[in-house]
Amino acid sequence: MDDKELSSSVEKKPKNKVLDAVTTVIDWVYRILLQYSKFVLLVIVIVVTAQVISRKLLHSSIRWSEEVTLVLMVWMAFISMAIGVEKNLHISIEVLYKKFPAPVKKVVNIINNLLVLLVGIVLVVYGIKLIGYTSTSTLPATQWPACTLYLMLPVGGFFIVYFSFLRIFGLERYHHKGKEEGEETNV
């Protein structure tokens, strides 16, 4: 190894360590969000089941069940969007795409990832604004701040931006996937 190669490998290592540390923290938060989403789904099922049983057997409704379920379903929608971006599960029509030559496919992929990144940025920016606008009002049944409904917009948007950014710049190797169903940890 000559001096040029040695100096360039030394220069890359601190960048890689910083990027690896940042992505490790973000991926750790994301894994918590994934576990949280499982919990949210379980709570939705329990609340809806309790509401149905209460309405059918006791002839009475649980006053707050619809509102809590709505909040949790909105949260799940935006968490699920981020999961979809991470796993590249977008709905796509590939009839024409498959016929494109490789350079055109590459451009289409870049445009697609940039559009997804833009959607993530919009969710972050307008999600924060929406939280601000609704923070002074309350939801009728639970009396929670109305902004509770929109808390996951900027969170989901952040992770959409993060995963799109990794894909656009070819940095997927820095995404430390959890050990879920056959996935290997990438470090």
Side-chain angles (χ1 to χ4, degrees), residues 17-88:
K17 286 183 180 181
V18 169
L19 191 56
D20 193 46
V22 169
T23 57
T24 299
V25 170
I26 292 172
D27 289 336
W28 180 76
V29 172
Y30 180 70
R31 282 194 295 272
I32 290 172
L33 187 66
L34 285 176
Q35 295 306 315
Y36 176 73
S37 68
K38 293 174 187 176
F39 174 74
V40 167
L41 187 58
L42 178 65
V43 171
I44 289 171
V45 169
I46 290 170
V47 169
V48 170
T49 302
Q51 168 63 6
V52 169
I53 291 171
S54 176
R55 190 175 58 233
K56 295 293 183 186
L57 296 179
L58 304 174
H59 305 290
S60 173
S61 287
I62 302 171
R63 192 173 79 96
W64 49 264
S65 66
E66 185 177 335
E67 197 168 275
V68 169
T69 303
L70 175 67
V71 168
L72 295 177
M73 289 179 83
V74 169
W75 286 6
M76 280 300 297
F78 290 100
I79 293 170
S80 298
M81 285 173 61
I83 293 168
V85 171
E86 176 208 12
K87 298 187 182 299
N88 203 21

